[in-house]
PDB file of all heavy atoms in Angstrom:
ATOM      1  N   LEU A 279       0.809  -1.220   0.000  1.00 91.00           N
ATOM      2  CA  LEU A 279       0.000   0.000   0.000  1.00 91.00           C
ATOM      3  C   LEU A 279       0.841   1.268   0.000  1.00 91.00           C
ATOM      4  O   LEU A 279       0.495   2.239  -0.677  1.00 91.00           O
ATOM      5  CB  LEU A 279      -0.957   0.011   1.203  1.00 91.00           C
ATOM      6  CG  LEU A 279      -2.111  -0.983   1.137  1.00 91.00           C
ATOM      7  CD1 LEU A 279      -2.885  -0.974   2.447  1.00 91.00           C
ATOM      8  CD2 LEU A 279      -3.021  -0.684  -0.036  1.00 91.00           C
ATOM      9  N   VAL A 280       1.939   1.281   0.728  1.00 92.00           N
ATOM     10  CA  VAL A 280       2.745   2.512   0.791  1.00 92.00           C
ATOM     11  C   VAL A 280       3.403   2.833  -0.539  1.00 92.00           C
ATOM     12  O   VAL A 280       3.776   3.983  -0.776  1.00 92.00           O
ATOM     13  CB  VAL A 280       3.806   2.477   1.918  1.00 92.00           C
ATOM     14  CG1 VAL A 280       3.149   2.356   3.275  1.00 92.00           C
ATOM     15  CG2 VAL A 280       4.835   1.388   1.702  1.00 92.00           C
ATOM     16  N   ARG A 281       3.499   1.845  -1.413  1.00 93.00           N
ATOM     17  CA  ARG A 281       4.112   2.081  -2.731  1.00 93.00           C
ATOM     18  C   ARG A 281       3.093   2.495  -3.789  1.00 93.00           C
ATOM     19  O   ARG A 281       3.467   2.896  -4.887  1.00 93.00           O
ATOM     20  CB  ARG A 281       4.827   0.820  -3.187  1.00 93.00           C
ATOM     21  CG  ARG A 281       6.035   0.496  -2.334  1.00 93.00           C
ATOM     22  CD  ARG A 281       6.835  -0.637  -2.934  1.00 93.00           C
ATOM     23  NE  ARG A 281       7.995  -0.905  -2.116  1.00 93.00           N
ATOM     24  CZ  ARG A 281       8.260  -2.065  -1.557  1.00 93.00           C
ATOM     25  NH1 ARG A 281       7.454  -3.090  -1.731  1.00 93.00           N
ATOM     26  NH2 ARG A 281       9.332  -2.221  -0.825  1.00 93.00           N
ATOM     27  N   LEU A 282       1.804   2.362  -3.474  1.00 91.00           N
ATOM     28  CA  LEU A 282       0.763   2.682  -4.448  1.00 91.00           C
ATOM     29  C   LEU A 282       0.421   4.165  -4.434  1.00 91.00           C
ATOM     30  O   LEU A 282       0.484   4.813  -3.393  1.00 91.00           O
ATOM     31  CB  LEU A 282      -0.513   1.900  -4.134  1.00 91.00           C
ATOM     32  CG  LEU A 282      -0.490   0.393  -4.340  1.00 91.00           C
ATOM     33  CD1 LEU A 282      -1.819  -0.214  -3.892  1.00 91.00           C
ATOM     34  CD2 LEU A 282      -0.210   0.041  -5.782  1.00 91.00           C
ATOM     35  N   PRO A 283       0.019   4.695  -5.585  1.00 93.00           N
ATOM     36  CA  PRO A 283      -0.494   6.063  -5.615  1.00 93.00           C
ATOM     37  C   PRO A 283      -1.787   6.139  -4.800  1.00 93.00           C
ATOM     38  O   PRO A 283      -2.503   5.136  -4.639  1.00 93.00           O
ATOM     39  CB  PRO A 283      -0.772   6.333  -7.094  1.00 93.00           C
ATOM     40  CG  PRO A 283      -0.232   5.179  -7.857  1.00 93.00           C
ATOM     41  CD  PRO A 283       0.049   4.075  -6.911  1.00 93.00           C
ATOM     42  N   THR A 284      -2.107   7.310  -4.319  1.00 92.00           N
ATOM     43  CA  THR A 284      -3.272   7.509  -3.452  1.00 92.00           C
ATOM     44  C   THR A 284      -4.561   7.002  -4.079  1.00 92.00           C
ATOM     45  O   THR A 284      -5.372   6.367  -3.406  1.00 92.00           O
ATOM     46  CB  THR A 284      -3.411   9.001  -3.093  1.00 92.00           C
ATOM     47  OG1 THR A 284      -2.199   9.434  -2.480  1.00 92.00           O
ATOM     48  CG2 THR A 284      -4.567   9.237  -2.151  1.00 92.00           C
ATOM     49  N   ASP A 285      -4.756   7.253  -5.374  1.00 93.00           N
ATOM     50  CA  ASP A 285      -6.006   6.803  -6.002  1.00 93.00           C
ATOM     51  C   ASP A 285      -6.134   5.288  -5.987  1.00 93.00           C
ATOM     52  O   ASP A 285      -7.221   4.749  -5.810  1.00 93.00           O
ATOM     53  CB  ASP A 285      -6.149   7.359  -7.415  1.00 93.00           C
ATOM     54  CG  ASP A 285      -5.034   6.951  -8.353  1.00 93.00           C
ATOM     55  OD1 ASP A 285      -3.915   6.653  -7.880  1.00 93.00           O
ATOM     56  OD2 ASP A 285      -5.258   6.948  -9.574  1.00 93.00           O
ATOM     57  N   ARG A 286      -5.028   4.578  -6.133  1.00 92.00           N
ATOM     58  CA  ARG A 286      -5.068   3.112  -6.081  1.00 92.00           C
ATOM     59  C   ARG A 286      -5.310   2.627  -4.651  1.00 92.00           C
ATOM     60  O   ARG A 286      -6.000   1.643  -4.432  1.00 92.00           O
ATOM     61  CB  ARG A 286      -3.769   2.511  -6.613  1.00 92.00           C
ATOM     62  CG  ARG A 286      -3.463   2.855  -8.046  1.00 92.00           C
ATOM     63  CD  ARG A 286      -3.618   1.790  -9.092  1.00 92.00           C
ATOM     64  NE  ARG A 286      -3.447   0.428  -8.781  1.00 92.00           N
ATOM     65  CZ  ARG A 286      -2.380  -0.313  -9.067  1.00 92.00           C
ATOM     66  NH1 ARG A 286      -1.336   0.231  -9.649  1.00 92.00           N
ATOM     67  NH2 ARG A 286      -2.351  -1.588  -8.779  1.00 92.00           N
ATOM     68  N   VAL A 287      -4.757   3.342  -3.671  1.00 92.00           N
ATOM     69  CA  VAL A 287      -4.995   2.990  -2.268  1.00 92.00           C
ATOM     70  C   VAL A 287      -6.479   3.120  -1.960  1.00 92.00           C
ATOM     71  O   VAL A 287      -7.059   2.283  -1.256  1.00 92.00           O
ATOM     72  CB  VAL A 287      -4.152   3.856  -1.311  1.00 92.00           C
ATOM     73  CG1 VAL A 287      -4.564   3.632   0.139  1.00 92.00           C
ATOM     74  CG2 VAL A 287      -2.667   3.576  -1.492  1.00 92.00           C
ATOM     75  N   MET A 288      -7.115   4.149  -2.520  1.00 92.00           N
ATOM     76  CA  MET A 288      -8.551   4.338  -2.301  1.00 92.00           C
ATOM     77  C   MET A 288      -9.349   3.184  -2.897  1.00 92.00           C
ATOM     78  O   MET A 288     -10.311   2.707  -2.293  1.00 92.00           O
ATOM     79  CB  MET A 288      -9.011   5.673  -2.897  1.00 92.00           C
ATOM     80  CG  MET A 288      -8.358   6.886  -2.254  1.00 92.00           C
ATOM     81  SD  MET A 288      -8.582   6.976  -0.475  1.00 92.00           S
ATOM     82  CE  MET A 288     -10.322   7.280  -0.398  1.00 92.00           C
ATOM     83  N   VAL A 289      -8.944   2.696  -4.055  1.00 91.00           N
ATOM     84  CA  VAL A 289      -9.631   1.568  -4.679  1.00 91.00           C
ATOM     85  C   VAL A 289      -9.457   0.306  -3.820  1.00 91.00           C
ATOM     86  O   VAL A 289     -10.412  -0.429  -3.571  1.00 91.00           O
ATOM     87  CB  VAL A 289      -9.120   1.319  -6.118  1.00 91.00           C
ATOM     88  CG1 VAL A 289      -9.652   0.020  -6.682  1.00 91.00           C
ATOM     89  CG2 VAL A 289      -9.481   2.485  -7.011  1.00 91.00           C
ATOM     90  N   VAL A 290      -8.251   0.074  -3.364  1.00 89.00           N
ATOM     91  CA  VAL A 290      -7.989  -1.085  -2.509  1.00 89.00           C
ATOM     92  C   VAL A 290      -8.791  -0.973  -1.216  1.00 89.00           C
ATOM     93  O   VAL A 290      -9.382  -1.960  -0.750  1.00 89.00           O
ATOM     94  CB  VAL A 290      -6.478  -1.222  -2.211  1.00 89.00           C
ATOM     95  CG1 VAL A 290      -6.219  -2.283  -1.146  1.00 89.00           C
ATOM     96  CG2 VAL A 290      -5.708  -1.541  -3.481  1.00 89.00           C
ATOM     97  N   SER A 291      -8.848   0.214  -0.662  1.00 90.00           N
ATOM     98  CA  SER A 291      -9.622   0.433   0.572  1.00 90.00           C
ATOM     99  C   SER A 291     -11.096   0.127   0.346  1.00 90.00           C
ATOM    100  O   SER A 291     -11.747  -0.505   1.188  1.00 90.00           O
ATOM    101  CB  SER A 291      -9.462   1.877   1.055  1.00 90.00           C
ATOM    102  OG  SER A 291      -8.136   2.142   1.384  1.00 90.00           O
ATOM    103  N   GLU A 292     -11.630   0.563  -0.774  1.00 90.00           N
ATOM    104  CA  GLU A 292     -13.033   0.292  -1.095  1.00 90.00           C
ATOM    105  C   GLU A 292     -13.257  -1.208  -1.274  1.00 90.00           C
ATOM    106  O   GLU A 292     -14.263  -1.755  -0.826  1.00 90.00           O
ATOM    107  CB  GLU A 292     -13.453   1.050  -2.355  1.00 90.00           C
ATOM    108  CG  GLU A 292     -14.870   0.795  -2.784  1.00 90.00           C
ATOM    109  CD  GLU A 292     -15.925   1.263  -1.798  1.00 90.00           C
ATOM    110  OE1 GLU A 292     -15.637   2.163  -0.985  1.00 90.00           O
ATOM    111  OE2 GLU A 292     -17.043   0.722  -1.837  1.00 90.00           O
ATOM    112  N   PHE A 293     -12.310  -1.877  -1.922  1.00 85.00           N
ATOM    113  CA  PHE A 293     -12.411  -3.319  -2.123  1.00 85.00           C
ATOM    114  C   PHE A 293     -12.436  -4.048  -0.777  1.00 85.00           C
ATOM    115  O   PHE A 293     -13.257  -4.944  -0.550  1.00 85.00           O
ATOM    116  CB  PHE A 293     -11.233  -3.808  -2.977  1.00 85.00           C
ATOM    117  CG  PHE A 293     -11.265  -5.278  -3.258  1.00 85.00           C
ATOM    118  CD1 PHE A 293     -12.101  -5.790  -4.228  1.00 85.00           C
ATOM    119  CD2 PHE A 293     -10.454  -6.143  -2.551  1.00 85.00           C
ATOM    120  CE1 PHE A 293     -12.129  -7.149  -4.500  1.00 85.00           C
ATOM    121  CE2 PHE A 293     -10.481  -7.501  -2.812  1.00 85.00           C
ATOM    122  CZ  PHE A 293     -11.322  -8.002  -3.788  1.00 85.00           C
ATOM    123  N   ILE A 294     -11.561  -3.641   0.129  1.00 85.00           N
ATOM    124  CA  ILE A 294     -11.512  -4.253   1.460  1.00 85.00           C
ATOM    125  C   ILE A 294     -12.811  -3.976   2.210  1.00 85.00           C
ATOM    126  O   ILE A 294     -13.379  -4.879   2.838  1.00 85.00           O
ATOM    127  CB  ILE A 294     -10.287  -3.749   2.253  1.00 85.00           C
ATOM    128  CG1 ILE A 294      -8.997  -4.286   1.614  1.00 85.00           C
ATOM    129  CG2 ILE A 294     -10.387  -4.149   3.722  1.00 85.00           C
ATOM    130  CD1 ILE A 294      -7.728  -3.641   2.145  1.00 85.00           C
ATOM    131  N   ALA A 295     -13.302  -2.753   2.129  1.00 88.00           N
ATOM    132  CA  ALA A 295     -14.547  -2.398   2.810  1.00 88.00           C
ATOM    133  C   ALA A 295     -15.711  -3.226   2.269  1.00 88.00           C
ATOM    134  O   ALA A 295     -16.538  -3.734   3.045  1.00 88.00           O
ATOM    135  CB  ALA A 295     -14.828  -0.902   2.657  1.00 88.00           C
ATOM    136  N   GLN A 296     -15.793  -3.365   0.953  1.00 85.00           N
ATOM    137  CA  GLN A 296     -16.861  -4.166   0.352  1.00 85.00           C
ATOM    138  C   GLN A 296     -16.736  -5.632   0.767  1.00 85.00           C
ATOM    139  O   GLN A 296     -17.737  -6.294   1.059  1.00 85.00           O
ATOM    140  CB  GLN A 296     -16.832  -4.057  -1.171  1.00 85.00           C
ATOM    141  CG  GLN A 296     -17.239  -2.707  -1.703  1.00 85.00           C
ATOM    142  CD  GLN A 296     -18.716  -2.456  -1.516  1.00 85.00           C
ATOM    143  OE1 GLN A 296     -19.537  -3.342  -1.701  1.00 85.00           O
ATOM    144  NE2 GLN A 296     -19.057  -1.245  -1.133  1.00 85.00           N
ATOM    145  N   SER A 297     -15.517  -6.147   0.794  1.00 83.00           N
ATOM    146  CA  SER A 297     -15.298  -7.539   1.196  1.00 83.00           C
ATOM    147  C   SER A 297     -15.747  -7.765   2.635  1.00 83.00           C
ATOM    148  O   SER A 297     -16.380  -8.776   2.947  1.00 83.00           O
ATOM    149  CB  SER A 297     -13.813  -7.911   1.067  1.00 83.00           C
ATOM    150  OG  SER A 297     -13.410  -7.822  -0.267  1.00 83.00           O
ATOM    151  N   ALA A 298     -15.434  -6.826   3.500  1.00 83.00           N
ATOM    152  CA  ALA A 298     -15.825  -6.951   4.909  1.00 83.00           C
ATOM    153  C   ALA A 298     -17.326  -6.774   5.080  1.00 83.00           C
ATOM    154  O   ALA A 298     -17.958  -7.480   5.869  1.00 83.00           O
ATOM    155  CB  ALA A 298     -15.076  -5.923   5.753  1.00 83.00           C
ATOM    156  N   LYS A 299     -17.911  -5.851   4.341  1.00 85.00           N
ATOM    157  CA  LYS A 299     -19.336  -5.558   4.475  1.00 85.00           C
ATOM    158  C   LYS A 299     -20.188  -6.756   4.073  1.00 85.00           C
ATOM    159  O   LYS A 299     -21.148  -7.111   4.758  1.00 85.00           O
ATOM    160  CB  LYS A 299     -19.704  -4.348   3.621  1.00 85.00           C
ATOM    161  CG  LYS A 299     -21.170  -3.959   3.677  1.00 85.00           C
ATOM    162  CD  LYS A 299     -21.441  -2.730   2.832  1.00 85.00           C
ATOM    163  CE  LYS A 299     -22.906  -2.341   2.859  1.00 85.00           C
ATOM    164  NZ  LYS A 299     -23.168  -1.181   2.000  1.00 85.00           N
ATOM    165  N   PHE A 300     -19.861  -7.389   2.968  1.00 81.00           N
ATOM    166  CA  PHE A 300     -20.684  -8.470   2.461  1.00 81.00           C
ATOM    167  C   PHE A 300     -20.216  -9.836   2.943  1.00 81.00           C
ATOM    168  O   PHE A 300     -20.965 -10.796   2.888  1.00 81.00           O
ATOM    169  CB  PHE A 300     -20.764  -8.419   0.933  1.00 81.00           C
ATOM    170  CG  PHE A 300     -21.458  -7.172   0.468  1.00 81.00           C
ATOM    171  CD1 PHE A 300     -20.747  -6.134  -0.099  1.00 81.00           C
ATOM    172  CD2 PHE A 300     -22.825  -7.028   0.640  1.00 81.00           C
ATOM    173  CE1 PHE A 300     -21.390  -4.979  -0.511  1.00 81.00           C
ATOM    174  CE2 PHE A 300     -23.476  -5.872   0.243  1.00 81.00           C
ATOM    175  CZ  PHE A 300     -22.753  -4.849  -0.342  1.00 81.00           C
ATOM    176  N   ASP A 301     -18.985  -9.935   3.395  1.00 79.00           N
ATOM    177  CA  ASP A 301     -18.439 -11.140   4.018  1.00 79.00           C
ATOM    178  C   ASP A 301     -18.901 -12.419   3.320  1.00 79.00           C
ATOM    179  O   ASP A 301     -19.526 -13.289   3.923  1.00 79.00           O
ATOM    180  CB  ASP A 301     -18.804 -11.183   5.508  1.00 79.00           C
ATOM    181  CG  ASP A 301     -17.983 -12.237   6.245  1.00 79.00           C
ATOM    182  OD1 ASP A 301     -16.872 -12.558   5.786  1.00 79.00           O
ATOM    183  OD2 ASP A 301     -18.463 -12.754   7.266  1.00 79.00           O
ATOM    184  N   ASP A 302     -18.614 -12.513   2.030  1.00 82.00           N
ATOM    185  CA  ASP A 302     -18.960 -13.699   1.260  1.00 82.00           C
ATOM    186  C   ASP A 302     -17.685 -14.245   0.623  1.00 82.00           C
ATOM    187  O   ASP A 302     -17.307 -13.856  -0.486  1.00 82.00           O
ATOM    188  CB  ASP A 302     -19.997 -13.353   0.187  1.00 82.00           C
ATOM    189  CG  ASP A 302     -20.560 -14.583  -0.485  1.00 82.00           C
ATOM    190  OD1 ASP A 302     -19.956 -15.671  -0.375  1.00 82.00           O
ATOM    191  OD2 ASP A 302     -21.612 -14.454  -1.126  1.00 82.00           O
ATOM    192  N   PRO A 303     -16.995 -15.140   1.334  1.00 80.00           N
ATOM    193  CA  PRO A 303     -15.707 -15.655   0.843  1.00 80.00           C
ATOM    194  C   PRO A 303     -15.798 -16.284  -0.543  1.00 80.00           C
ATOM    195  O   PRO A 303     -14.862 -16.187  -1.326  1.00 80.00           O
ATOM    196  CB  PRO A 303     -15.309 -16.697   1.883  1.00 80.00           C
ATOM    197  CG  PRO A 303     -16.107 -16.392   3.088  1.00 80.00           C
ATOM    198  CD  PRO A 303     -17.369 -15.719   2.611  1.00 80.00           C
ATOM    199  N   GLU A 304     -16.937 -16.904  -0.861  1.00 84.00           N
ATOM    200  CA  GLU A 304     -17.078 -17.549  -2.167  1.00 84.00           C
ATOM    201  C   GLU A 304     -17.007 -16.527  -3.294  1.00 84.00           C
ATOM    202  O   GLU A 304     -16.365 -16.758  -4.319  1.00 84.00           O
ATOM    203  CB  GLU A 304     -18.394 -18.319  -2.222  1.00 84.00           C
ATOM    204  CG  GLU A 304     -18.495 -19.193  -3.458  1.00 84.00           C
ATOM    205  CD  GLU A 304     -19.743 -20.058  -3.419  1.00 84.00           C
ATOM    206  OE1 GLU A 304     -19.943 -20.754  -2.418  1.00 84.00           O
ATOM    207  OE2 GLU A 304     -20.498 -20.009  -4.405  1.00 84.00           O
ATOM    208  N   VAL A 305     -17.649 -15.380  -3.108  1.00 79.00           N
ATOM    209  CA  VAL A 305     -17.614 -14.330  -4.126  1.00 79.00           C
ATOM    210  C   VAL A 305     -16.189 -13.814  -4.284  1.00 79.00           C
ATOM    211  O   VAL A 305     -15.696 -13.640  -5.399  1.00 79.00           O
ATOM    212  CB  VAL A 305     -18.586 -13.179  -3.768  1.00 79.00           C
ATOM    213  CG1 VAL A 305     -18.370 -11.981  -4.671  1.00 79.00           C
ATOM    214  CG2 VAL A 305     -20.015 -13.653  -3.843  1.00 79.00           C
ATOM    215  N   LEU A 306     -15.516 -13.588  -3.179  1.00 80.00           N
ATOM    216  CA  LEU A 306     -14.142 -13.086  -3.230  1.00 80.00           C
ATOM    217  C   LEU A 306     -13.216 -14.098  -3.896  1.00 80.00           C
ATOM    218  O   LEU A 306     -12.400 -13.739  -4.746  1.00 80.00           O
ATOM    219  CB  LEU A 306     -13.658 -12.748  -1.820  1.00 80.00           C
ATOM    220  CG  LEU A 306     -12.311 -12.069  -1.708  1.00 80.00           C
ATOM    221  CD1 LEU A 306     -12.291 -10.776  -2.522  1.00 80.00           C
ATOM    222  CD2 LEU A 306     -11.984 -11.795  -0.262  1.00 80.00           C
ATOM    223  N   GLU A 307     -13.362 -15.369  -3.542  1.00 84.00           N
ATOM    224  CA  GLU A 307     -12.524 -16.410  -4.153  1.00 84.00           C
ATOM    225  C   GLU A 307     -12.783 -16.509  -5.650  1.00 84.00           C
ATOM    226  O   GLU A 307     -11.849 -16.682  -6.434  1.00 84.00           O
ATOM    227  CB  GLU A 307     -12.789 -17.750  -3.472  1.00 84.00           C
ATOM    228  CG  GLU A 307     -12.239 -17.828  -2.062  1.00 84.00           C
ATOM    229  CD  GLU A 307     -12.717 -19.059  -1.308  1.00 84.00           C
ATOM    230  OE1 GLU A 307     -13.326 -19.960  -1.926  1.00 84.00           O
ATOM    231  OE2 GLU A 307     -12.476 -19.114  -0.092  1.00 84.00           O
ATOM    232  N   THR A 308     -14.048 -16.392  -6.048  1.00 82.00           N
ATOM    233  CA  THR A 308     -14.397 -16.437  -7.469  1.00 82.00           C
ATOM    234  C   THR A 308     -13.777 -15.260  -8.205  1.00 82.00           C
ATOM    235  O   THR A 308     -13.201 -15.414  -9.286  1.00 82.00           O
ATOM    236  CB  THR A 308     -15.930 -16.440  -7.646  1.00 82.00           C
ATOM    237  OG1 THR A 308     -16.462 -17.575  -6.983  1.00 82.00           O
ATOM    238  CG2 THR A 308     -16.315 -16.481  -9.117  1.00 82.00           C
ATOM    239  N   PHE A 309     -13.865 -14.069  -7.595  1.00 79.00           N
ATOM    240  CA  PHE A 309     -13.285 -12.882  -8.207  1.00 79.00           C
ATOM    241  C   PHE A 309     -11.777 -13.058  -8.403  1.00 79.00           C
ATOM    242  O   PHE A 309     -11.251 -12.803  -9.486  1.00 79.00           O
ATOM    243  CB  PHE A 309     -13.563 -11.646  -7.345  1.00 79.00           C
ATOM    244  CG  PHE A 309     -12.829 -10.430  -7.816  1.00 79.00           C
ATOM    245  CD1 PHE A 309     -13.292  -9.697  -8.902  1.00 79.00           C
ATOM    246  CD2 PHE A 309     -11.669 -10.008  -7.185  1.00 79.00           C
ATOM    247  CE1 PHE A 309     -12.619  -8.588  -9.350  1.00 79.00           C
ATOM    248  CE2 PHE A 309     -10.981  -8.894  -7.624  1.00 79.00           C
ATOM    249  CZ  PHE A 309     -11.462  -8.183  -8.705  1.00 79.00           C
ATOM    250  N   VAL A 310     -11.099 -13.517  -7.371  1.00 81.00           N
ATOM    251  CA  VAL A 310      -9.644 -13.692  -7.462  1.00 81.00           C
ATOM    252  C   VAL A 310      -9.298 -14.739  -8.514  1.00 81.00           C
ATOM    253  O   VAL A 310      -8.374 -14.543  -9.305  1.00 81.00           O
ATOM    254  CB  VAL A 310      -9.046 -14.055  -6.080  1.00 81.00           C
ATOM    255  CG1 VAL A 310      -7.590 -14.454  -6.198  1.00 81.00           C
ATOM    256  CG2 VAL A 310      -9.203 -12.883  -5.113  1.00 81.00           C
ATOM    257  N   ALA A 311     -10.048 -15.827  -8.559  1.00 83.00           N
ATOM    258  CA  ALA A 311      -9.785 -16.868  -9.558  1.00 83.00           C
ATOM    259  C   ALA A 311      -9.966 -16.323 -10.970  1.00 83.00           C
ATOM    260  O   ALA A 311      -9.142 -16.577 -11.855  1.00 83.00           O
ATOM    261  CB  ALA A 311     -10.708 -18.063  -9.320  1.00 83.00           C
ATOM    262  N   PHE A 312     -11.040 -15.553 -11.176  1.00 79.00           N
ATOM    263  CA  PHE A 312     -11.277 -14.989 -12.503  1.00 79.00           C
ATOM    264  C   PHE A 312     -10.227 -13.967 -12.886  1.00 79.00           C
ATOM    265  O   PHE A 312      -9.932 -13.780 -14.058  1.00 79.00           O
ATOM    266  CB  PHE A 312     -12.673 -14.368 -12.597  1.00 79.00           C
ATOM    267  CG  PHE A 312     -13.746 -15.359 -12.924  1.00 79.00           C
ATOM    268  CD1 PHE A 312     -14.791 -15.548 -12.052  1.00 79.00           C
ATOM    269  CD2 PHE A 312     -13.706 -16.085 -14.088  1.00 79.00           C
ATOM    270  CE1 PHE A 312     -15.795 -16.463 -12.353  1.00 79.00           C
ATOM    271  CE2 PHE A 312     -14.700 -17.003 -14.401  1.00 79.00           C
ATOM    272  CZ  PHE A 312     -15.746 -17.190 -13.520  1.00 79.00           C
ATOM    273  N   ARG A 313      -9.664 -13.266 -11.907  1.00 78.00           N
ATOM    274  CA  ARG A 313      -8.633 -12.271 -12.221  1.00 78.00           C
ATOM    275  C   ARG A 313      -7.374 -12.926 -12.781  1.00 78.00           C
ATOM    276  O   ARG A 313      -6.541 -12.268 -13.388  1.00 78.00           O
ATOM    277  CB  ARG A 313      -8.275 -11.446 -10.976  1.00 78.00           C
ATOM    278  CG  ARG A 313      -9.315 -10.426 -10.610  1.00 78.00           C
ATOM    279  CD  ARG A 313      -9.531  -9.378 -11.695  1.00 78.00           C
ATOM    280  NE  ARG A 313      -8.382  -8.524 -11.820  1.00 78.00           N
ATOM    281  CZ  ARG A 313      -7.941  -8.022 -12.966  1.00 78.00           C
ATOM    282  NH1 ARG A 313      -8.559  -8.266 -14.076  1.00 78.00           N
ATOM    283  NH2 ARG A 313      -6.884  -7.256 -12.982  1.00 78.00           N
ATOM    284  N   HIS A 314      -7.234 -14.229 -12.595  1.00 85.00           N
ATOM    285  CA  HIS A 314      -6.091 -14.941 -13.164  1.00 85.00           C
ATOM    286  C   HIS A 314      -6.357 -15.381 -14.598  1.00 85.00           C
ATOM    287  O   HIS A 314      -5.481 -15.940 -15.241  1.00 85.00           O
ATOM    288  CB  HIS A 314      -5.724 -16.150 -12.293  1.00 85.00           C
ATOM    289  CG  HIS A 314      -5.173 -15.760 -10.956  1.00 85.00           C
ATOM    290  ND1 HIS A 314      -3.938 -15.188 -10.802  1.00 85.00           N
ATOM    291  CD2 HIS A 314      -5.714 -15.833  -9.727  1.00 85.00           C
ATOM    292  CE1 HIS A 314      -3.735 -14.934  -9.531  1.00 85.00           C
ATOM    293  NE2 HIS A 314      -4.797 -15.313  -8.849  1.00 85.00           N
ATOM    294  N   ASP A 315      -7.562 -15.117 -15.080  1.00 87.00           N
ATOM    295  CA  ASP A 315      -7.938 -15.479 -16.447  1.00 87.00           C
ATOM    296  C   ASP A 315      -7.602 -14.293 -17.356  1.00 87.00           C
ATOM    297  O   ASP A 315      -8.177 -13.218 -17.211  1.00 87.00           O
ATOM    298  CB  ASP A 315      -9.441 -15.783 -16.500  1.00 87.00           C
ATOM    299  CG  ASP A 315      -9.894 -16.282 -17.863  1.00 87.00           C
ATOM    300  OD1 ASP A 315      -9.243 -15.954 -18.885  1.00 87.00           O
ATOM    301  OD2 ASP A 315     -10.916 -16.981 -17.908  1.00 87.00           O
ATOM    302  N   PRO A 316      -6.669 -14.462 -18.283  1.00 89.00           N
ATOM    303  CA  PRO A 316      -6.272 -13.336 -19.135  1.00 89.00           C
ATOM    304  C   PRO A 316      -7.422 -12.784 -19.987  1.00 89.00           C
ATOM    305  O   PRO A 316      -7.421 -11.619 -20.351  1.00 89.00           O
ATOM    306  CB  PRO A 316      -5.154 -13.899 -20.015  1.00 89.00           C
ATOM    307  CG  PRO A 316      -5.222 -15.371 -19.882  1.00 89.00           C
ATOM    308  CD  PRO A 316      -5.933 -15.680 -18.603  1.00 89.00           C
ATOM    309  N   ARG A 317      -8.413 -13.618 -20.279  1.00 90.00           N
ATOM    310  CA  ARG A 317      -9.558 -13.126 -21.054  1.00 90.00           C
ATOM    311  C   ARG A 317     -10.338 -12.090 -20.260  1.00 90.00           C
ATOM    312  O   ARG A 317     -10.774 -11.078 -20.816  1.00 90.00           O
ATOM    313  CB  ARG A 317     -10.486 -14.281 -21.446  1.00 90.00           C
ATOM    314  CG  ARG A 317      -9.823 -15.283 -22.384  1.00 90.00           C
ATOM    315  CD  ARG A 317     -10.662 -16.497 -22.563  1.00 90.00           C
ATOM    316  NE  ARG A 317     -10.814 -17.132 -21.242  1.00 90.00           N
ATOM    317  CZ  ARG A 317     -11.590 -18.178 -21.016  1.00 90.00           C
ATOM    318  NH1 ARG A 317     -12.292 -18.709 -21.984  1.00 90.00           N
ATOM    319  NH2 ARG A 317     -11.673 -18.707 -19.811  1.00 90.00           N
ATOM    320  N   LEU A 318     -10.499 -12.323 -18.961  1.00 85.00           N
ATOM    321  CA  LEU A 318     -11.213 -11.362 -18.128  1.00 85.00           C
ATOM    322  C   LEU A 318     -10.402 -10.076 -18.002  1.00 85.00           C
ATOM    323  O   LEU A 318     -10.959  -8.975 -18.037  1.00 85.00           O
ATOM    324  CB  LEU A 318     -11.508 -11.934 -16.743  1.00 85.00           C
ATOM    325  CG  LEU A 318     -12.297 -11.007 -15.831  1.00 85.00           C
ATOM    326  CD1 LEU A 318     -13.654 -10.662 -16.437  1.00 85.00           C
ATOM    327  CD2 LEU A 318     -12.474 -11.613 -14.463  1.00 85.00           C
ATOM    328  N   ASP A 319      -9.103 -10.219 -17.882  1.00 84.00           N
ATOM    329  CA  ASP A 319      -8.237  -9.045 -17.813  1.00 84.00           C
ATOM    330  C   ASP A 319      -8.407  -8.194 -19.068  1.00 84.00           C
ATOM    331  O   ASP A 319      -8.549  -6.970 -18.990  1.00 84.00           O
ATOM    332  CB  ASP A 319      -6.778  -9.487 -17.646  1.00 84.00           C
ATOM    333  CG  ASP A 319      -5.874  -8.325 -17.294  1.00 84.00           C
ATOM    334  OD1 ASP A 319      -6.236  -7.552 -16.380  1.00 84.00           O
ATOM    335  OD2 ASP A 319      -4.819  -8.196 -17.934  1.00 84.00           O
ATOM    336  N   THR A 320      -8.443  -8.836 -20.214  1.00 90.00           N
ATOM    337  CA  THR A 320      -8.654  -8.125 -21.475  1.00 90.00           C
ATOM    338  C   THR A 320     -10.025  -7.465 -21.506  1.00 90.00           C
ATOM    339  O   THR A 320     -10.156  -6.294 -21.882  1.00 90.00           O
ATOM    340  CB  THR A 320      -8.506  -9.089 -22.669  1.00 90.00           C
ATOM    341  OG1 THR A 320      -7.185  -9.638 -22.653  1.00 90.00           O
ATOM    342  CG2 THR A 320      -8.752  -8.385 -23.992  1.00 90.00           C
TER     343      THR A 320
END
């Protein structure tokens, strides 16, 4: 986090807040798995 620009820190903070608010590990695991798919990245 200390190496990221402020705008990226804000995005990460929002992601963490959303993850904590909805507390659905399956959704988070699915998101992370899909992020490893280059087609989704594209």
Side-chain angles (χ1 to χ4, degrees):
L279 289 174
V280 298
R281 293 188 179 122
L282 291 176
T284 303
D285 60 335
R286 299 253 331 257
V287 171
M288 297 304 292
V289 170
V290 171
S291 297
E292 178 64 23
F293 181 78
I294 292 169
Q296 290 289 320
S297 297
K299 180 178 179 182
F300 296 106
D301 193 26
D302 190 343
E304 189 174 307
V305 169
L306 187 57
E307 289 170 10
T308 301
F309 172 79
V310 171
F312 276 120
R313 285 298 291 144
H314 292 290
D315 185 334
R317 296 171 299 174
L318 182 60
D319 191 48
T320 300

